[in-house]
Amino acid sequence: MSKPRVLITGGAGFLGSHLCDRFLADGYEVICMDNLVTGDLRNVEHLFSEPDFHYHHQDVTEFIHVPGRLDAVLHFASPASPIDYLELPIQTLKVGSLGTHKALGLAHAKGARFLLASTSECYGDPLVHPQKEDYWGNVNPVGPRGVYDEAKRFAEAMTMAYHRCHKVETRIVRIFNTYGPRMRLNDGRALPAFMSQALRGEDLTVFGDGSQTRSFCYVDDLIEGIWRLLHSDEVMPVNIGNPSEMTIRQFAEQVLAITGSKSQLTFKELPQDDPKVRQPDITKARATLNWEPRVELEVGLRKTLEYFKERIELKETVR
Ligand code: UDP
């Protein structure tokens, strides 16, 4: 019997590339699609010698053509850090709306299962804490984060419409803050910023007074959750994230401890609409997917540190 075939849009990105690894390891033929706006071929270069790995350079907001059968489409293409969507607001809106439409159309035409990478940003600056899937959120549509939040909310609505009208088998994962190897060093997110700063001996830039909270999930845990969700029967959105919540100041201090850096914290202005709290309620993932995160923050941070050290050393040699 031939292998199942999966298309992963945004396959050269942080999460997309880990999904490529996982699906290849589990016996899939993988088509990785990216336009490299925020993705990076270095994330998948180790896969180019694999016969079951194919790379298609394409912008998914244009018509997507994939020859042959497809069993699953995982739509992960999108700028995904606050700095990226501030710099690429129109691309962010287009890939969440037009790109999701194209990816759903392809899944429909191929009779493939579709999984949407959605986000905790759908909850905005939440007034309910922790966030459960049935909370509708508190989003500012016209603020700087609106381009991402609203694109993903639209993408969820479009996904449900394809499920209801066209009977496409759809899944929606709401991804909470995730970290690990292959995050871009300069994407402006808390972990790459803090780790690069600590390794370079620079001060760590904590925004606001650092009392805002986040809950950080190691990438391997997230990938396992996504894998289980794709293979489950759950059509409505499912939160995947690590519920262990901390302030950003504590997180910065944890990075300092792991890196052994002597850097100090420096406080900068809090970006507009930066959520004050965030913590996933994962009751649903536990019950329907029998999933929960396993990697302790300290263990995950050490693995991530190895990657950052390598990348920062490589960069310095190149320079
Ligand atoms: N943050 C920070 N310093 C940085 C980058 C981010 O203090 O150099 C804060 C940011 O304001 C937010 C939190 O860290 O409160 C997490 O930010 P990130 O960009 O990683 O993701 P978000 O959860 O805001 O989408």
Side-chain angles (χ1 to χ4, degrees):
M1 223 181 74
S2 59
K3 295 186 166 192
R5 297 182 91 215
V6 60
L7 169 70
I8 302 174
T9 77
F14 165 44
L15 299 181
S17 64
H18 284 280
L19 286 167
C20 289
D21 285 340
R22 173 64 192 259
F23 279 79
L24 277 171
D26 275 286
Y28 274 73
E29 187 177 340
V30 171
I31 300 155
C32 163
M33 190 170 275
D34 213 296
N35 65 353
L36 304 181
V37 168
T38 55
D40 190 331
L41 279 186
R42 281 176 297 188
N43 291 336
V44 287
E45 67 186 3
H46 61 290
L47 300 178
F48 275 80
S49 55
E50 300 273 345
D52 289 325
F53 178 78
H54 314 281
Y55 174 70
H56 289 207
H57 187 95
Q58 192 177 323
D59 177 347
V60 296
T61 65
E62 310 281 344
F63 182 81
I64 308 174
H65 176 66
V66 175
R69 205 186 76 244
L70 274 180
D71 298 285
V73 174
L74 274 60
H75 185 41
F76 276 71
S78 177
S81 82
I83 290 227
D84 288 342
Y85 38 82
L86 280 178
E87 279 174 6
L88 305 164
I90 296 168
Q91 284 98 323
T92 303
L93 278 162
K94 281 177 71 179
V95 75
S97 54
L98 306 179
T100 303
H101 184 217
K102 296 285 182 289
L104 276 162
L106 179 71
H108 183 214
K110 300 279 185 186
R113 192 169 278 208
F114 177 86
L115 184 141
L116 173 70
S118 187
T119 167
S120 55
E121 284 286 328
C122 286
Y123 303 120
D125 189 2
L127 304 176
V128 167
H129 192 66
Q131 293 76 54
K132 263 192 149 107
E133 289 86 349
D134 58 8
Y135 175 50
W136 294 347
N138 176 40
V139 170
N140 174 4
V142 294
R145 300 174 90 106
V147 296
Y148 185 61
D149 302 9
E150 295 297 5
K152 288 294 188 184
R153 289 164 65 97
F154 176 91
E156 289 197 3
M158 179 73 92
T159 301
M160 292 310 296
Y162 266 69
H163 175 71
R164 292 185 179 120
C165 286
H166 293 313
K167 312 290 176 232
V168 175
E169 277 284 354
T170 57
R171 309 286 179 263
I172 298 174
V173 55
R174 290 198 182 134
I175 299 170
F176 283 66
N177 294 71
T178 301
Y179 69 98
R182 303 189 195 148
M183 289 185 100
R184 265 188 15 256
L185 263 58
N186 59 350
D187 76 358
R189 282 190 269 209
L191 182 125
F194 292 163
M195 216 166 244
S196 313
Q197 289 159 345
L199 287 173
R200 296 189 173 114
E202 298 163 5
D203 286 350
L204 273 58
T205 52
V206 174
F207 297 160
D209 62 3
S211 63
Q212 69 274 31
T213 69
R214 294 293 186 276
S215 314
F216 293 93
C217 183
Y218 187 63
V219 63
D220 290 358
D221 281 333
L222 180 91
I223 298 298
E224 178 62 30
I226 291 170
W227 174 268
R228 290 188 190 203
L229 175 60
L230 179 73
H231 296 95
S232 78
D233 295 329
E234 183 58 53
V235 171
M236 298 305 282
V238 179
N239 290 338
I240 299 285
N242 191 321
S244 83
E245 183 184 10
M246 65 181 62
T247 67
I248 288 301
R249 189 186 174 127
Q250 286 169 332
F251 186 58
E253 280 160 357
Q254 182 88 331
V255 172
L256 284 181
I258 298 281
T259 53
S261 165
K262 303 260 174 307
S263 298
Q264 309 283 314
L265 304 187
T266 175
F267 294 87
K268 300 239 157 130
E269 202 185 329
L270 190 68
Q272 191 191 331
D273 298 334
D274 197 287
K276 285 179 271 309
V277 289
R278 183 180 291 154
Q279 183 194 26
D281 182 320
I282 59 164
T283 310
K284 188 170 177 183
R286 281 198 173 103
T288 59
L289 311 178
N290 191 24
W291 175 88
E292 62 181 7
R294 305 210 169 276
V295 181
E296 298 290 339
L297 183 63
E298 196 185 320
V299 175
L301 283 180
R302 286 196 192 285
K303 291 189 184 184
T304 312
L305 177 63
E306 289 314 305
Y307 173 81
F308 273 76
K309 272 187 178 161
E310 236 171 68
R311 287 298 307 278
I312 284 175
E313 274 161 23
L314 271 180
K315 240 180 147 179
E316 278 163 7
T317 330
V318 172
R319 232 189 266 144

